[in-house]
Amino acid sequence: MSTISSAEVARVAALARIALSSDEIDRLAGELDVIAEAVSQVNRVATPDVPATSHPIALTNVTRPDVVAEVLVRDEVLAGAPSAENDQFAVPQILGEGA
Amino acid sequence: MTASTELTRLSAAELAERLRAGDVSSTEATRAHLDRIVAVDGPVHAFLNVDADGALAAAEKVDADRAAGKDLPALAGVPIAVKDVVVTHGQVTTAGSKMLEHWVPPYDATVTRLLREAGMPILGKTNMDEFAMGSSTEHSAFGPTRNPWDLDRIPGGSGGGSSAAVGAFEAPLAIGTDTGGSIRQPAAVTGTVGVKPTFGGVSRYGLIALASSLDQAGPVSRTVLDSAMLHEVIGVHDPRDSTSLPDPATGLVEAARRGDVAGMRIGVVTELGGEGYQPGVRASFDHALELLAGAGAEIVEVSCPNFEYALAAYYLILPAEASSNLAKFDGMRFGLRVEPDEGPITAETVMAATRGAGFGDEVKRRIILGTHALSAGYYDAYYGSAQKVRTLIQRDFNAAFEQTDVLVSPTAPTTAFRFGEKVDDPMAMYLNDVATIPANLAGVPGMSLPSGLSDDRLPVGFQILAPARADDRLYRVGGALERLLTDEWGGPLLDRAPELTTQEVTR
């Protein structure tokens, strides 16, 4: 049975882009371990002969005509943004210094 | 009881009838509910925000239309509360999270649009576990909702606000969402009715997604008929949701009114009633079965052996889908933005700081687990295996429905627990959903209605499950059982709830 170490929590938190304090990392490692144990049950019955079901209803591709329409009001969208300038979202620096 | 208080005790069907007859206006009915919210919501805290002006404007519009002789939908003028995970144009929608504390959506969810088109004034947005993660509404970033039956106890989750609002007579109807039982379990512990429709039966467009293959919006009410009426309003095809079923939900109101079980085969699921079920819960359930048998139903025991693995599969699928769905909360285009205390200010560091500060413990726990489950080396063993369990559970349902028309169980293993009792023990909290989760994994519809009080004088829920798209059977059985029980009780179960202390309303 795999367990989730503090190092793994820290690695995953970085992947998920969540800043965690060291206390949070330690606490989560302990709690996730309990869940991970329960999860091992699944592997008892998930044998190779069982097909996986990804969705409760059979999915089919759905398309609609590509028609120009009023979708969202720009001012309402930007009013909910943490920062906006010149009718656009203003975001922190995206490219690194080396880019 | 004042005339205004009396209006809040009416069922939605009764109120709709009075509105149609012209005995009362929607403005009066809406005002009565707004007054009730002011009077009792302090301690209950079912609402995160109340939109009195918007609700009254909608009510006045219905009254004017009625006066002009327009043909109006069945529930026109009946006010409603909406879980805060459903977006409402122009009205703050938080999903119970600091991440969206002040966010005003620039559009309506399809469910919201359908309610507005049906002429139903939206009283406000109800409290919930953050991003619908929880079974107790203790994980709301804005403080818990309290159970109207006992303010020291949880109202269920994640839709505790919706059920408490209906149970405390603050709204005749509410909208909830059910990913693993979040409509049915709160209904069970508050003595109300809650329905999870067949997956795809109600549009998910504009619902802030938790787990897309499991989420389903549905009605919360005080009677089976009221849920049927609301279900028919929201249960229509939506071209904006690619998983929306093509046919509308029909025949539900008729089934609820008919409410008969003669000749029906009702299956008791062996695996949903054993160890861990409170004796008083079991006794209430057994009594309901006797009533159904007395009304001509054939009760058969059926085994669904793979239900044992449902909880484990759910707690892999849900976090995996949640970690993906919640990636959009990154502080860039909407909601909270937090800059790191030290180091460079880049999109990446701002995202991490925002998500670290904006998400609560339970959300972090599930995102971390989901990201772990989806990361290289774990995907097949975790997520892939869980999806196989889903197949096994669907097979169990198919086999069970070959022998029966509906399946039944207690909705939750226990009555409402006390605050804090399970908050530090995720597995104990998750076990509360053991009876409701299989329906979400297989996409079948489910209902919870009150079957009585347990030995601790708290409400017990009776769960009915039907095959996919046979939602009408829930109403047929639910309508029958409700009638038998209310005859026995001499009125609705909620009449036995203790009176809430009221604050004086000043206008």
Side-chain angles (χ1 to χ4, degrees), chain B residues 168-225:
Chain B
F169 300 95
E170 297 172 80
L173 292 169
I175 295 290
T177 60
D178 190 312
T179 303
S182 293
I183 291 175
R184 290 164 287 158
Q185 180 256 6
V189 299
T190 57
T192 56
V193 177
V195 177
K196 180 195 97 68
T198 297
F199 183 85
V202 175
S203 171
R204 284 182 295 109
Y205 177 79
L207 267 52
I208 297 171
L210 170 54
S212 309
S213 75
L214 305 164
D215 295 346
Q216 185 58 61
V220 177
S221 67
R222 290 193 292 267
T223 71
V224 171
L225 175 61

Side-chain angles (χ1 to χ4, degrees), chain B residues 84-401:
Chain B
D84 207 28
V85 76
V86 181
V87 306
T88 43
H89 188 187
Q91 188 180 1
V92 170
T93 299
T94 69
S97 181
K98 292 273 180 212
M99 198 62 104
L100 292 174
E101 190 169 3
H102 305 292
W103 184 59
V104 180
Y107 71 108
D108 265 338
T110 296
V111 167
T112 311
R113 175 176 61 80
L114 291 168
L115 297 177
R116 294 194 205 279
E117 286 172 6
M120 301 180 70
I122 296 174
L123 296 165
K125 307 298 290 292
T126 55
N127 200 6
M128 54 183 284
D129 285 300
E130 183 176 6
F131 291 113
M133 298 183 192
S135 308
S136 64
T137 315
E138 287 168 291
H139 298 299
S140 166
F142 308 108
T145 296
R146 294 172 182 279
N147 192 319
W149 285 80
D150 179 347
L151 297 175
D152 291 333
R153 290 176 190 266
I154 60 107
S158 64
S162 287
S163 292
V166 169
F169 300 95
E170 297 172 80
L173 292 169
I175 295 290
T177 60
D178 190 312
T179 303
S182 293
I183 291 175
R184 290 164 287 158
Q185 180 256 6
V189 299
T190 57
T192 56
V193 177
V195 177
K196 180 195 97 68
T198 297
F199 183 85
V202 175
S203 171
R204 284 182 295 109
Y205 177 79
L207 267 52
I208 297 171
L210 170 54
S212 309
S213 75
L214 305 164
D215 295 346
Q216 185 58 61
V220 177
S221 67
R222 290 193 292 267
T223 71
V224 171
L225 175 61
D226 286 0
S227 270
M229 293 177 81
L230 179 55
H231 193 155
E232 288 195 2
V233 170
I234 57 177
V236 297
H237 174 69
D238 181 14
R240 289 179 151 163
D241 174 358
S242 65
T243 57
S244 171
L245 296 174
D247 304 317
T250 53
L252 309 179
V253 170
E254 193 192 328
R257 287 192 198 276
R258 180 175 158 205
D260 104 72
V261 291
M264 282 186 96
R265 289 167 306 165
I266 296 179
V268 179
V269 184
T270 316
E271 287 77 8
L272 302 182
E275 215 177 309
Y277 281 73
Q278 193 176 317
V281 167
R282 190 70 223 187
S284 175
F285 174 72
D286 289 342
H287 178 62
L289 280 185
E290 281 170 25
L291 290 178
L292 290 168
E298 184 190 346
I299 311 291
V300 291
E301 187 149 325
V302 292
S303 175
C304 294
N306 293 295
F307 281 19
E308 184 189 333
Y309 305 102
L311 199 66
Y314 177 83
Y315 279 102
L316 281 180
I317 293 167
L318 180 136
E321 294 187 10
S323 69
S324 171
N325 277 326
L326 269 58
K328 62 179 164 284
F329 300 103
D330 59 6
M332 295 295 119
R333 290 147 298 151
F334 53 87
L336 183 74
R337 178 182 291 177
V338 175
E339 294 188 353
D341 292 336
E342 49 193 53
I345 309 283
T346 67
E348 198 176 322
T349 59
V350 169
M351 280 181 201
T354 300
R355 289 161 67 80
F359 288 140
D361 288 345
E362 183 64 15
V363 175
K364 287 177 185 168
R365 182 185 292 142
R366 295 202 198 182
I367 291 177
I368 297 293
L369 183 65
T371 307
H372 170 71
L374 289 177
S375 63
Y378 295 103
Y379 178 89
D380 284 340
Y382 281 18
Y383 190 67
S385 297
Q387 301 285 38
K388 291 183 173 195
V389 172
R390 207 164 182 165
T391 306
L392 297 172
I393 285 169
Q394 285 187 342
R395 288 179 185 170
D396 278 1
F397 269 119
N398 291 343
F401 284 131

